[in-house]
Amino acid sequence: MQGKIALEEHFAIQETLQDSAGFVPESYWAELSHRLLDIHETRLREMDQNGLEMMILSLNAPAVQAIPDRKKAQEIAQRANDFLAEQVAKQPDRFQAFAALPMQDPDLATRELQRCVTDLGFKGALVNGFSQIDQPDTAVYYDLKQYWDFWGECEKLDTPFYLHPRNPLPSMSQIYEGHGWLMGPTWAFGQETAVHALRLMGSGLFDKYPKLNIILGHMGEGLPYSMWRIDNRNAWVKAPPKYPAKRKIADYFRENFYLTTSGNFRTQTLIDAMLEIGADRILFSTDWPFENVDHASDWFNSASISENDREKIGRTNAQKLFKL
Ligand code: MN
């Protein structure tokens, strides 16, 4: 398929580059760091060779979210966003942008989102999970009340918020002790991000802001597969759910969430996601440079779905959601 639009596609600036070390063996670091710092050469060639018309770019992880100092987090977010705006301006028909945000301070995050969307023309924000705030050993999640005005601004600006994974902190990782291979994309990313997304759904956030759009990568971080069970466990017991939200979790999932195919190039998984959330809410993505564009593209181009769905997932859903 030609004309694909992809939206979980990362870059780094020098200040955040090292955050991506350790996810590949040392012998691959030269290649990965080149891919992260490059915008207009290798990346564009990969796009041309694989039928990608556009990438919406975002900073690598955890980057801003792992900077406990609020002012420093704001400074790095602004620097990354300014750099990204310059890169997009060189080829706006091929690249668009998601803002990095200093979620350590909800007011600073709101102002940076406004600046990026209103002044720089960004299409939304991509945030790497919880934020460490003031102390390194802290993890603050965005269902908390101090973030609700921020969410109101996201809804008002009509800009989607991409909730991207990060690893849990060592103090939160007892279950993985002795099994470091489970960290990162293998398992811990998905678990961490799925729970964060469920916190948002159960908090009542979407009752207050029903037009808010959250995007999850990796075909929904496992959530489509478990959605029925979340709402239907012990169905013989007549008791209301123990969360503040007014509706079933699946209702919020279907009405406030979009999923991307990033890093999860599996037709069985795609079909399950299509059955749970619908083809109108799934968007093609690769997760470059951690995954290959050709791996994503070759799989997606030949996946056993209808051409109508391929066109939606590969292109037109993104055009609608981001008003491209
Ligand atoms: Mn990613």
Side-chain angles (χ1 to χ4, degrees), residues 53 58 67 94-95 129 163 252 261:
E53 183 176 323
S58 51
I67 304 171
R94 306 304 302 278
F95 297 115
L163 183 64
Y252 304 112
T261 66

PDB file of all heavy atoms in Angstrom, residues 53 58 67 94-95 129 163 252 261:
ATOM      1  N   GLU A  53       3.934   7.866   3.219  1.00  0.00           N
ATOM      2  CA  GLU A  53       3.913   9.266   2.800  1.00  0.00           C
ATOM      3  C   GLU A  53       4.333  10.179   3.952  1.00  0.00           C
ATOM      4  O   GLU A  53       5.007  11.178   3.747  1.00  0.00           O
ATOM      5  CB  GLU A  53       2.498   9.638   2.338  1.00  0.00           C
ATOM      6  CG  GLU A  53       2.400  11.054   1.810  1.00  0.00           C
ATOM      7  CD  GLU A  53       1.007  11.351   1.269  1.00  0.00           C
ATOM      8  OE1 GLU A  53       0.393  10.449   0.673  1.00  0.00           O
ATOM      9  OE2 GLU A  53       0.542  12.480   1.461  1.00  0.00           O
ATOM     10  N   SER A  58       7.995  11.833  17.195  1.00  0.00           N
ATOM     11  CA  SER A  58       7.970  12.077  18.641  1.00  0.00           C
ATOM     12  C   SER A  58       9.329  11.737  19.240  1.00  0.00           C
ATOM     13  O   SER A  58      10.075  10.917  18.706  1.00  0.00           O
ATOM     14  CB  SER A  58       6.889  11.217  19.307  1.00  0.00           C
ATOM     15  OG  SER A  58       7.034   9.862  18.922  1.00  0.00           O
ATOM     16  N   ILE A  67      12.954  13.078  34.070  1.00  0.00           N
ATOM     17  CA  ILE A  67      13.735  14.198  34.610  1.00  0.00           C
ATOM     18  C   ILE A  67      12.973  14.773  35.808  1.00  0.00           C
ATOM     19  O   ILE A  67      12.013  15.524  35.635  1.00  0.00           O
ATOM     20  CB  ILE A  67      13.945  15.291  33.537  1.00  0.00           C
ATOM     21  CG1 ILE A  67      14.602  14.687  32.291  1.00  0.00           C
ATOM     22  CG2 ILE A  67      14.771  16.442  34.112  1.00  0.00           C
ATOM     23  CD1 ILE A  67      14.668  15.632  31.097  1.00  0.00           C
ATOM     24  N   ARG A  94       5.943  15.501   4.505  1.00  0.00           N
ATOM     25  CA  ARG A  94       6.423  14.176   4.886  1.00  0.00           C
ATOM     26  C   ARG A  94       6.485  13.972   6.401  1.00  0.00           C
ATOM     27  O   ARG A  94       6.447  12.853   6.892  1.00  0.00           O
ATOM     28  CB  ARG A  94       7.835  13.921   4.312  1.00  0.00           C
ATOM     29  CG  ARG A  94       7.952  14.115   2.815  1.00  0.00           C
ATOM     30  CD  ARG A  94       6.982  13.261   2.015  1.00  0.00           C
ATOM     31  NE  ARG A  94       7.110  11.825   2.247  1.00  0.00           N
ATOM     32  CZ  ARG A  94       8.012  11.035   1.650  1.00  0.00           C
ATOM     33  NH1 ARG A  94       8.876  11.543   0.784  1.00  0.00           N
ATOM     34  NH2 ARG A  94       8.042   9.740   1.898  1.00  0.00           N
ATOM     35  N   PHE A  95       6.634  15.070   7.146  1.00  0.00           N
ATOM     36  CA  PHE A  95       6.771  14.964   8.606  1.00  0.00           C
ATOM     37  C   PHE A  95       5.824  15.919   9.324  1.00  0.00           C
ATOM     38  O   PHE A  95       5.661  17.064   8.905  1.00  0.00           O
ATOM     39  CB  PHE A  95       8.207  15.265   9.032  1.00  0.00           C
ATOM     40  CG  PHE A  95       9.220  14.300   8.496  1.00  0.00           C
ATOM     41  CD1 PHE A  95      10.195  14.720   7.599  1.00  0.00           C
ATOM     42  CD2 PHE A  95       9.198  12.965   8.876  1.00  0.00           C
ATOM     43  CE1 PHE A  95      11.133  13.819   7.083  1.00  0.00           C
ATOM     44  CE2 PHE A  95      10.127  12.058   8.370  1.00  0.00           C
ATOM     45  CZ  PHE A  95      11.102  12.486   7.468  1.00  0.00           C
ATOM     46  N   GLY A 129       4.555   7.585  29.562  1.00  0.00           N
ATOM     47  CA  GLY A 129       4.108   7.010  30.833  1.00  0.00           C
ATOM     48  C   GLY A 129       4.214   7.975  31.999  1.00  0.00           C
ATOM     49  O   GLY A 129       4.224   9.198  31.824  1.00  0.00           O
ATOM     50  N   LEU A 163      -0.240   7.870  24.716  1.00  0.00           N
ATOM     51  CA  LEU A 163       0.359   7.356  25.944  1.00  0.00           C
ATOM     52  C   LEU A 163       1.340   6.252  25.559  1.00  0.00           C
ATOM     53  O   LEU A 163       0.945   5.134  25.223  1.00  0.00           O
ATOM     54  CB  LEU A 163      -0.726   6.823  26.882  1.00  0.00           C
ATOM     55  CG  LEU A 163      -0.230   6.330  28.238  1.00  0.00           C
ATOM     56  CD1 LEU A 163       0.389   7.469  29.063  1.00  0.00           C
ATOM     57  CD2 LEU A 163      -1.366   5.673  29.027  1.00  0.00           C
ATOM     58  N   TYR A 252     -15.467   3.194  27.439  1.00  0.00           N
ATOM     59  CA  TYR A 252     -14.431   4.229  27.281  1.00  0.00           C
ATOM     60  C   TYR A 252     -13.379   3.785  26.271  1.00  0.00           C
ATOM     61  O   TYR A 252     -12.886   4.568  25.466  1.00  0.00           O
ATOM     62  CB  TYR A 252     -13.767   4.549  28.630  1.00  0.00           C
ATOM     63  CG  TYR A 252     -14.757   4.969  29.691  1.00  0.00           C
ATOM     64  CD1 TYR A 252     -15.013   4.154  30.787  1.00  0.00           C
ATOM     65  CD2 TYR A 252     -15.453   6.170  29.574  1.00  0.00           C
ATOM     66  CE1 TYR A 252     -15.930   4.527  31.753  1.00  0.00           C
ATOM     67  CE2 TYR A 252     -16.374   6.543  30.537  1.00  0.00           C
ATOM     68  CZ  TYR A 252     -16.609   5.727  31.634  1.00  0.00           C
ATOM     69  OH  TYR A 252     -17.518   6.096  32.573  1.00  0.00           O
ATOM     70  N   THR A 261      -0.519   0.011  15.285  1.00  0.00           N
ATOM     71  CA  THR A 261       0.110  -1.297  15.035  1.00  0.00           C
ATOM     72  C   THR A 261       1.594  -1.310  15.403  1.00  0.00           C
ATOM     73  O   THR A 261       2.269  -2.313  15.164  1.00  0.00           O
ATOM     74  CB  THR A 261       0.013  -1.666  13.540  1.00  0.00           C
ATOM     75  OG1 THR A 261       0.807  -0.742  12.779  1.00  0.00           O
ATOM     76  CG2 THR A 261      -1.424  -1.633  13.044  1.00  0.00           C
TER      77      THR A 261
END
